[in-house]
Amino acid sequence: MDFARQQRDPTRHLVGIGFVILIHVIVVYALVTGLARRAVEVIKKPLTATIVEEIKAPPPPPPPPKKIEIPKIPPPPQQTYIPPPDIPVPTIQSEPVIAAVTPTPPPEPPVIAPPVVAPPAPPAPPKPAIRRGIVPISRVQPEYPREAERKGISGGRVVARLFIDEKGNVTEVKIVEANPPRWFDRAVMNALSQWKFQADGEKYIGEIEVEFKLE
């Protein structure tokens, strides 16, 4: 069914006309019975408006607190106990009590005795110009001369002087006395010139006596 056919349908128009007539009847009845006046009075009354607050939903509960895990700290290593060094307790010296000072006479100046000077040691006796009784550390025994033996000289005595240097060597031999003379001089000089004495650090002259015996 199209739109033009709907417009031409008589039942559709009758429903609309009946609805309009019903409204007019209701209005006339209201005017006659005073219903309209009551409606006006009701409208004139103050209207009370009630504001209904919107019911707010309760806030959600707060989240549970987070558990904070405390990191475990390992215990510190145990250290061996080292006793502290012994510290001597300082002794507190009490302040000296100053008593009443009585003036004392000044002490007498000390008597300084003169220093005792030891007398100088006596000088060593001078060494003799000619030393006798000297003993060699090495010696050569003089030989008996053959000529004196052939001549039948049975013995003799010779005194000689030895010139000795700083090292104890004999540098010269001189015959001082000979009995019998000249028979034993060469033998004495040859033997004594080979003698050796203890070094004395200085030169000196020694005297030696040599005796000869024919056996």
Side-chain angles (χ1 to χ4, degrees):
M1 184 182 291
D2 56 2
F3 182 77
R5 187 175 295 177
Q6 290 179 1
Q7 293 293 329
R8 288 192 299 268
D9 188 4
T11 58
R12 185 177 180 86
H13 291 283
L14 290 175
V15 174
I17 293 170
F19 184 73
V20 171
I21 292 171
L22 179 62
I23 293 173
H24 283 82
V25 172
I26 293 171
V27 171
V28 172
Y29 178 73
L31 292 174
V32 173
T33 59
L35 182 61
R37 190 180 301 161
R38 292 178 182 177
V40 172
E41 290 178 359
V42 170
I43 293 171
K44 287 183 180 181
K45 289 182 179 180
L47 300 176
T48 58
T50 303
I51 300 172
V52 178
E53 293 183 357
E54 182 181 359
I55 299 173
K56 295 181 180 180
K66 295 181 179 181
K67 293 183 179 181
I68 300 174
E69 295 182 358
I70 300 175
K72 295 182 179 180
I73 300 175
Q78 295 183 357
Q79 298 180 353
T80 56
Y81 175 72
I82 301 175
D86 294 336
I87 301 175
V89 179
T91 57
I92 301 173
Q93 297 181 355
S94 59
E95 297 182 356
V97 179
I98 301 175
V101 179
T102 57
T104 57
E108 297 181 358
V111 178
I112 301 174
V116 178
V117 179
K127 295 181 180 180
I130 300 173
R131 301 183 187 180
R132 294 178 176 84
I134 57 177
V135 179
I137 57 177
S138 67
R139 66 171 69 193
V140 175
Q141 195 67 26
E143 296 180 357
Y144 200 91
R146 293 182 180 179
E147 294 182 0
E149 186 178 355
R150 285 197 300 266
K151 292 293 184 180
I153 300 173
S154 60
R157 175 177 172 271
V158 178
V159 177
R161 289 182 180 173
L162 309 179
F163 293 83
I164 304 169
D165 63 5
E166 299 90 344
K167 297 181 180 180
N169 300 320
V170 178
T171 59
E172 186 180 355
V173 179
K174 286 186 178 182
I175 302 300
V176 177
E177 183 182 349
N179 185 23
R182 293 190 303 276
W183 286 101
F184 302 99
D185 295 358
R186 185 173 298 276
V188 170
M189 293 177 66
N190 291 337
L192 297 185
S193 62
Q194 301 180 52
W195 285 18
K196 176 74 174 178
F197 294 87
Q198 186 70 35
D200 197 14
E202 61 180 0
K203 297 179 180 181
Y204 62 94
I205 300 173
E207 189 172 286
I208 295 293
E209 181 179 344
V210 181
E211 292 185 357
F212 290 89
K213 286 185 178 181
L214 182 60
E215 296 180 355

